[in-house]
Amino acid sequence: MNSVFEVQKTIREIFLKILDNHSLEQLNKIPQGFSNNLIWNIAHCISSQQVLIYKLSGLPTMVSEEFIAKYRKGTKPEGDVSQVEVDEIRSLLLTTLEQTEKDFTNNIFVDYNEYTTSLGFTLKNISGALDFNNYHEGIHTGIVMSIRKFV
């Protein structure tokens, strides 16, 4: 299972570099032809990871319900995020990954509520959820790489 967390760590490090190398204005800009921006995609990955891994396991999330609602599938930026929010998202990129790995090692993921994704893939257990989460974050990494060319 270490490789799952290594992949997610690599993705999260890419997101951290995006945050480090783009201004607040660039992070908030929605380029023509896109429905969201850099910061939304990054925060969306955190929100989705918490739902796919923790909520569907019947466990409390590390982020608020408001955060999940703001960045869940089907949402888009309702306004610019502040530097304080960017800093929180930056911190969550690391803390959510570290805690998930620790919780997995400590076997806290006992139950899992089967869930079929919008892509038609059915998640049956925590291992499948962790694998799918990396696939999902990989998709958003590609979107982020595209958006950054236009900001």
Side-chain angles (χ1 to χ4, degrees):
M1 229 27 199
N2 281 347
S3 66
V4 166
F5 293 110
E6 288 172 22
V7 169
Q8 191 175 24
K9 183 175 188 227
T10 300
I11 292 168
R12 297 292 177 97
E13 286 171 350
I14 290 167
F15 289 157
L16 289 169
K17 286 178 186 168
I18 295 290
L19 294 178
D20 289 344
N21 293 309
H22 291 80
S23 68
L24 186 59
E25 181 182 342
Q26 289 173 311
L27 293 173
N28 279 300
K29 182 177 180 182
I30 302 173
Q32 188 172 0
F34 290 87
S35 58
N36 48 49
N37 54 28
L38 292 171
I39 196 64
W40 182 92
N41 276 279
I42 294 169
H44 169 72
C45 287
I46 295 166
S47 173
S48 295
Q49 185 254 16
Q50 290 292 290
V51 170
L52 291 169
I53 307 304
Y54 286 88
K55 268 195 171 236
L56 290 172
S57 293
L59 298 169
T61 60
M62 291 174 260
V63 299
S64 68
E65 286 299 319
E66 294 78 21
F67 186 94
I68 290 170
K70 184 175 181 178
Y71 297 108
R72 76 176 187 272
K73 180 182 171 93
T75 64
K76 57 185 177 183
E78 297 298 325
D80 288 354
V81 299
S82 67
Q83 186 60 52
V84 170
E85 290 172 287
V86 171
D87 293 343
E88 176 191 14
I89 290 164
R90 176 181 229 299
S91 174
L92 287 169
L93 281 170
L94 296 173
T95 57
T96 54
L97 171 62
E98 291 165 358
Q99 189 63 50
T100 303
E101 188 171 11
K102 188 184 302 180
D103 289 343
F104 184 81
T105 301
N106 291 331
N107 297 311
I108 74 154
F109 300 107
V110 177
D111 297 320
Y112 196 83
N113 297 307
E114 195 171 287
Y115 173 75
T116 301
T117 70
S118 59
L119 298 171
F121 185 77
T122 301
L123 306 177
K124 298 179 182 199
N125 55 43
I126 191 62
S127 295
L130 287 165
D131 287 339
F132 181 81
N133 182 68
N134 280 352
Y135 168 75
H136 176 259
E137 290 195 14
I139 289 170
H140 285 279
T141 301
I143 294 168
V144 162
M145 295 307 190
S146 293
I147 291 174
R148 73 185 183 135
K149 295 176 184 174
F150 298 102
V151 298

